[in-house]
């Protein structure tokens, strides 16, 4: 069917392990205007916690942890409203992650058709260990593929709609940083050595060495730099296809390079499990919005925002603001319209299970971080206890600060209120599905 109207294109790009303090490697190639939120926080410190929150505007510890089955996602809402919803296939075993998507794009190699059945078996994959990192670059869509996918889908004559929603989850920046390389290099000893070293780093089998840490950080920078170049090409394709688009780019979480005794994003390894960390390098992430409807100037916003605000932003952009009543977050488009806007919310909350090891999910309690608008950060962890940091004077959380008892009680009161409100949030979110029906 031939389409004549101007396409409306929504693009969500979530980038693995993207820290806020490395954002400039991503944005330095952007020539058109965009808005950066300087105080954006992930809903959780790793993918299992953050992605369900991004896609549904709900807290990670609501409903079933790490699952989208009981949540109503942005893809479901837009699919019901006759959008062509497209996502890149990934190997994340998050239940319900593909709900609402009409098209799933994957890479195909003949050899992988033999490997995949064994790889997707959870028990066998655990026996293989971190060898899954070798196969990931060849089963995932890399950032360099995004412009071609968008162009191919939007210009296809087989699709009879002008409204599109794309979600790409990019793992180019995930350790061991071997993405978008050629398949013959699969047996390269250097690559296998890198996989082995990152695995040993995570498990503390080898002591941290400054030279190795610096090597990994340089590879990480190079990966982000590459994604930044590809993002520029994405915008060039969108400008050629339509005059009505919005792109939201964020990190699903950050990455540690031994700032607090751990490598990666699982946290501190101890006796077969990972003790969750909630430090800034893990939960403070970039959040960038590029919209054809708004100013061509680069703006920076200092308001506290969260992953939970992404879904309401898309809904308001396409005129479905009434469905945002089922979201916990709020739309970010108001920051484009107003210049002297108030700081917004008073605090944001990041949460996850206290221990990151699947059989122990939700059995050893939950960990929370509350980031207040005044710069104080409160962390509660059932294993490591309470801690308060002053992010204004100590952004890297090198030392805990001691505050008045009244301040601690205030944070505890916020946490108790947050936990008690989750049942209300769940009822509110379930109404969204009824409104769609």
């Amino acid at each position: 069917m031939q389409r004549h109207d101007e396409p409306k294109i929504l693009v969500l790009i979530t980038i693995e392990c993207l820290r806020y303090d490395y954002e400039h490697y991503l944005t330095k190639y952007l020539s058109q205007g965009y808005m950066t939120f300087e105080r954006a926080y992930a809903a959780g410190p790793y993918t299992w916690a953050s992605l369900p929150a991004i896609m549904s505007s709900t807290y990670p510890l609501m409903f079933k942890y790490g699952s989208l089955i009981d949540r109503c996602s942005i893809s479901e809402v837009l699919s019901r409203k006759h959008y062509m919803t497209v996502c890149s296939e990934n190997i994340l075993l998050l239940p319900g992650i593909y709900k609402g998507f009409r098209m799933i794009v994957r890479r195909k190699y003949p050899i992988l058709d033999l490997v995949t059945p064994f790889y997707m078996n959870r028990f066998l994959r655990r026996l293989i260990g971190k060898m899954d990192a070798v196969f990931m670059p060849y089963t995932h869509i890399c950032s360099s593929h995004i412009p071609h996918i968008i162009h191919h889908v939007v210009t296809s004559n087989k699709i009879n709609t002008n409204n599109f929603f794309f979600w790409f989850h990019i793992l180019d920046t995930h350790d061991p940083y071997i993405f978008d390389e050629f398949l013959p290099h699969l047996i390269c000893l250097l690559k296998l050595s890198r996989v082995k070293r990152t695995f040993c780093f995570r498990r503390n089998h080898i002591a941290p060495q400054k030279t190795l840490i610096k090597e990994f950080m340089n590879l990480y920078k190079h990966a982000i730099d590459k994604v930044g170049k590809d993002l520029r090409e994405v915008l060039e394709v969108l400008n050629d296809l339509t005059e009505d688009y919005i792109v939201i780019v964020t990190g699903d979480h950050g990455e540690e390079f031994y700032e607090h005794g751990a490598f990666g994003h699982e946290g501190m390894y101890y006796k077969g499990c990972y003790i969750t960390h909630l430090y800034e390098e893990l939960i403070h992430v970039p959040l960038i919005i590029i919209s054809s409807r708004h100013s061509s100037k680069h703006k920076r916003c200092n308001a506290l925002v969260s992953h939970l605000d992404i879904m309401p932003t898309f809904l308001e952009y396409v005129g479905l603001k009434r469905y945002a009543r089922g979201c916990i977050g709020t739309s970010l488009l108001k920051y484009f319209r107003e210049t002297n806007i108030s700081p917004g919310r008073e605090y944001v909350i990041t949460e996850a299970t206290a221990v990151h090891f699947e059989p122990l999910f939700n059995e050893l309690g939950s960990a929370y971080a509350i980031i207040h608008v005044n710069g104080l950060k409160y962390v509660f962890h059932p294993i490591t206890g309470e801690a308060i940091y002053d992010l204004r004077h100590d952004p890297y959380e090198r030392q805990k600060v001691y505050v008045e008892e009244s301040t601690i009680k205030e944070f505890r009161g916020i946490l108790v209120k947050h936990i008690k409100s989750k049942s209300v949030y769940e009822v509110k979110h379930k109404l969204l599905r009824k409104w769609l029906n």
Side-chain angles (χ1 to χ4, degrees):
M1 179 177 177
Q2 188 69 28
R3 291 175 276 121
H4 302 284
D5 298 333
E6 187 76 17
K8 181 183 293 183
I9 304 177
L10 318 178
V11 182
L12 172 62
I13 301 177
T14 52
I15 304 174
E16 274 280 349
C17 313
L18 186 60
R19 292 168 50 139
Y20 174 78
D21 51 354
Y22 284 75
E23 179 207 337
H24 59 283
Y25 293 102
L26 183 71
T27 58
K28 65 181 181 180
Y29 296 104
L30 300 183
S31 57
Q32 68 184 82
Y34 59 93
M35 177 170 281
T36 300
F37 293 87
E38 297 181 331
R39 302 179 71 186
Y41 283 86
Y46 46 78
T47 305
W48 274 81
S50 63
L51 279 190
I54 291 174
M55 297 302 292
S56 64
S57 187
T58 56
Y59 283 109
L61 293 172
M62 290 173 56
F63 302 103
K64 184 178 179 182
Y65 189 68
S67 171
L68 269 164
I69 292 177
D70 298 324
R71 309 172 197 242
C72 188
S73 66
I74 178 65
S75 55
E76 285 184 278
V77 176
L78 295 178
S79 180
R80 294 285 185 92
K81 297 303 174 181
H82 310 294
Y83 274 73
M84 170 54 69
T85 50
V86 183
C87 75
S88 56
E89 185 185 49
N90 51 49
I91 54 175
L92 297 170
L93 301 178
L94 298 179
I97 194 69
Y98 298 122
K99 282 200 316 178
F101 286 103
R102 299 184 179 184
M103 181 185 298
I104 301 175
V105 184
R106 68 175 295 236
R107 294 179 72 174
K108 185 173 178 63
Y109 287 100
I111 189 172
L112 290 178
D113 293 334
L114 300 176
V115 174
T116 301
F118 298 96
Y119 173 78
M120 293 304 292
N121 183 287
R122 185 174 300 181
F123 174 74
L124 292 177
R125 193 172 70 256
R126 285 183 179 173
L127 290 181
I128 296 173
K130 290 304 291 182
M131 287 300 293
D132 60 352
V134 176
F135 296 108
M136 282 196 296
Y138 314 109
T139 57
H140 283 70
I141 299 297
C142 296
S143 59
S144 57
H145 302 135
I146 297 178
H148 309 288
I149 294 171
I150 293 177
H151 185 273
H152 178 77
V153 172
V154 175
T155 58
S156 173
N157 290 327
K158 297 180 180 180
I159 299 174
N160 58 359
T161 180
N162 279 329
N163 300 325
F164 300 88
F165 172 68
F166 295 89
W167 173 42
F168 299 99
H169 186 63
I170 304 302
L171 286 100
D172 300 45
T173 51
H174 194 289
D175 72 82
Y177 321 110
I178 57 177
F179 286 85
D180 213 22
E181 299 180 11
F182 293 108
L183 187 63
H185 292 173
L186 185 63
I187 59 175
C188 176
L189 293 179
L190 175 62
K191 182 181 296 186
L192 296 179
S193 174
R194 196 187 304 170
V195 172
K196 179 180 178 181
R197 282 182 291 171
T198 55
F199 176 70
C200 291
F201 258 28
R202 287 176 181 271
R203 295 295 182 92
N204 294 331
H205 291 169
I206 57 177
Q209 303 171 23
K210 290 185 177 180
T211 55
L212 286 179
I213 295 174
K214 187 175 181 180
E215 176 189 345
F216 289 138
M217 293 179 74
N218 288 333
L219 291 167
Y220 178 71
K221 293 176 186 177
H222 175 74
I224 298 174
D225 188 80
K226 171 189 170 297
V227 174
K229 293 178 181 177
D230 295 331
L231 180 59
R232 178 182 59 188
E233 294 185 16
V234 170
L235 297 178
E236 291 173 357
V237 169
L238 290 173
N239 285 318
D240 291 338
L241 291 173
T242 182
E243 295 181 357
D244 190 2
Y245 66 84
I246 182 172
V247 181
I248 299 182
V249 183
T250 188
D252 64 339
H253 52 75
E255 187 84 337
E256 284 190 89
F257 291 100
Y258 268 98
E259 290 90 349
H260 292 92
F263 173 77
H265 45 271
E266 277 91 354
M268 180 69 72
Y269 183 77
Y270 180 75
K271 292 186 177 180
C273 62
Y274 293 94
I275 299 176
T276 299
H277 279 179
L278 292 171
Y279 295 108
E280 289 291 286
E281 55 265 25
L282 285 177
I283 64 174
H284 192 183
V285 295
L287 180 58
I288 304 162
I289 300 181
I290 309 141
S291 172
S292 61
R293 296 182 187 175
H294 299 96
S295 173
S296 59
K297 296 181 181 179
H298 174 210
K299 296 181 179 179
R300 305 191 79 88
C301 180
N302 198 40
L304 273 175
V305 299
S306 166
H307 275 165
L308 276 62
D309 300 325
I310 292 176
M311 180 174 173
T313 302
F314 279 125
L315 292 177
E316 182 181 353
Y317 186 87
V318 299
L320 298 174
K321 191 175 180 180
R322 63 185 182 276
Y323 293 106
R325 291 178 296 171
C327 302
I328 298 175
T330 58
S331 172
L332 301 176
L333 295 183
K334 59 180 177 286
Y335 297 107
F336 285 93
R337 296 189 293 264
E338 304 178 35
T339 53
N340 298 319
I341 195 167
S342 61
R345 56 168 60 88
E346 187 179 359
Y347 56 84
V348 294
I349 297 178
T350 297
E351 62 182 28
T353 53
V355 173
H356 180 49
F357 186 65
E358 192 168 340
L360 297 179
F361 277 167
N362 289 330
E363 291 187 9
L364 295 178
S366 304
Y368 301 88
I370 302 173
I371 299 90
H372 201 277
V373 70
N374 63 11
L376 290 180
K377 176 180 178 180
Y378 169 83
V379 178
F380 171 81
H381 199 292
I383 298 176
T384 59
E386 292 178 301
I388 294 182
Y389 302 93
D390 188 349
L391 300 179
R392 295 167 300 182
H393 303 101
D394 182 21
Y396 297 103
E397 299 164 292
R398 293 189 176 94
Q399 287 186 340
K400 300 177 184 179
V401 296
Y402 297 93
V403 296
E404 297 179 358
E405 185 66 24
S406 60
T407 303
I408 299 177
K409 288 182 178 179
E410 180 183 352
F411 277 115
R412 290 172 180 168
I414 293 173
L415 180 57
V416 171
K417 179 182 176 181
H418 167 72
I419 295 173
K420 289 183 177 179
S421 299
K422 285 188 179 177
S423 58
V424 178
Y425 291 149
E426 289 185 5
V427 172
K428 179 182 176 182
H429 187 73
K430 288 177 181 178
L431 290 175
L432 179 57
R433 196 177 300 279
K434 291 185 177 181
W435 295 335
L436 284 176
N437 296 330

